[in-house]
Amino acid sequence: SFVVDSNTRARFDFDILAGNRVLLAFIGSASHAFGRRLRDDLLALQPELTMRCVRIGVVSADPADRDAETLATVVPPSIVFWDTERSVHRLYDLESPPREPAGRSPLRVGAVLMGENRRFRCFVPAQPLDTFAARVREAVDALPALVPGRQARPHAPVLQVPDVFAPDLCRRLIEF
């Protein structure tokens, strides 16, 4: 679980999405052509994934993306998460260790698919980019079918207060 800023609210608590299937797409930065292509592929998939009860969360690690219009096209039910401190990347082990002592940590890009109980189902790497959308579809196809919700049957209210009310009164209240 995590709490980060999003395009829908400041300090978005990921626990709010419990009960939903979620595709967290780590795009790195929408300032780069690669990140914009991932964004475009995800937006093209949005209607299909929404019909299949999968919410999209786009995770950007670039502080410049927040002020730029590059992610303004991501609209509900999809959500943009601003992970400028890379805490979400670390949570899902998508921040590789530095290759050089003075180098910056490169980020892995791709999508983490989670079931409605927020359990990790699979990671879909972004590369090769040409097959990313098809691989996301395959991962969603592999999810087990959703079990339709059932409502609990209504039952008679029960009132038990020993030695306070007369038994006849209790019966009349139950039958009411």
Side-chain angles (χ1 to χ4, degrees), residues 7-8 43 46 56 71-80:
N7 64 334
T8 59
L43 289 175
Q46 182 175 339
I56 299 174
L71 292 174
T73 54
V74 178
V75 295
S78 295
I79 303 167
V80 177

Side-chain angles (χ1 to χ4, degrees), residues 33-127:
F34 191 83
R36 286 192 301 275
R37 170 73 187 275
L38 282 174
R39 173 207 60 198
D40 293 344
D41 285 355
L42 291 165
L43 289 175
L45 284 171
Q46 182 175 339
E48 178 183 344
L49 294 183
T50 300
M51 291 295 294
R52 298 177 74 186
C53 301
V54 178
R55 302 268 314 256
I56 299 174
V58 177
V59 183
S60 171
D62 186 356
D65 283 348
R66 184 184 290 230
D67 299 325
E69 294 296 316
T70 52
L71 292 174
T73 54
V74 178
V75 295
S78 295
I79 303 167
V80 177
F81 296 108
W82 311 114
D83 188 30
T84 54
E85 296 174 4
R86 299 182 179 179
S87 59
V88 181
H89 283 77
R90 282 190 295 280
L91 181 66
Y92 292 99
D93 200 25
L94 295 175
E95 183 179 49
S96 303
R99 299 182 192 274
E100 305 170 14
R104 292 175 47 192
S105 295
L107 300 174
R108 293 173 54 202
V109 291
V112 171
L113 181 61
M114 288 176 274
E116 50 276 10
N117 58 1
R118 290 186 325 195
R119 285 193 181 153
F120 175 88
R121 302 297 293 190
C122 70
F123 177 73
V124 180
Q127 294 183 336

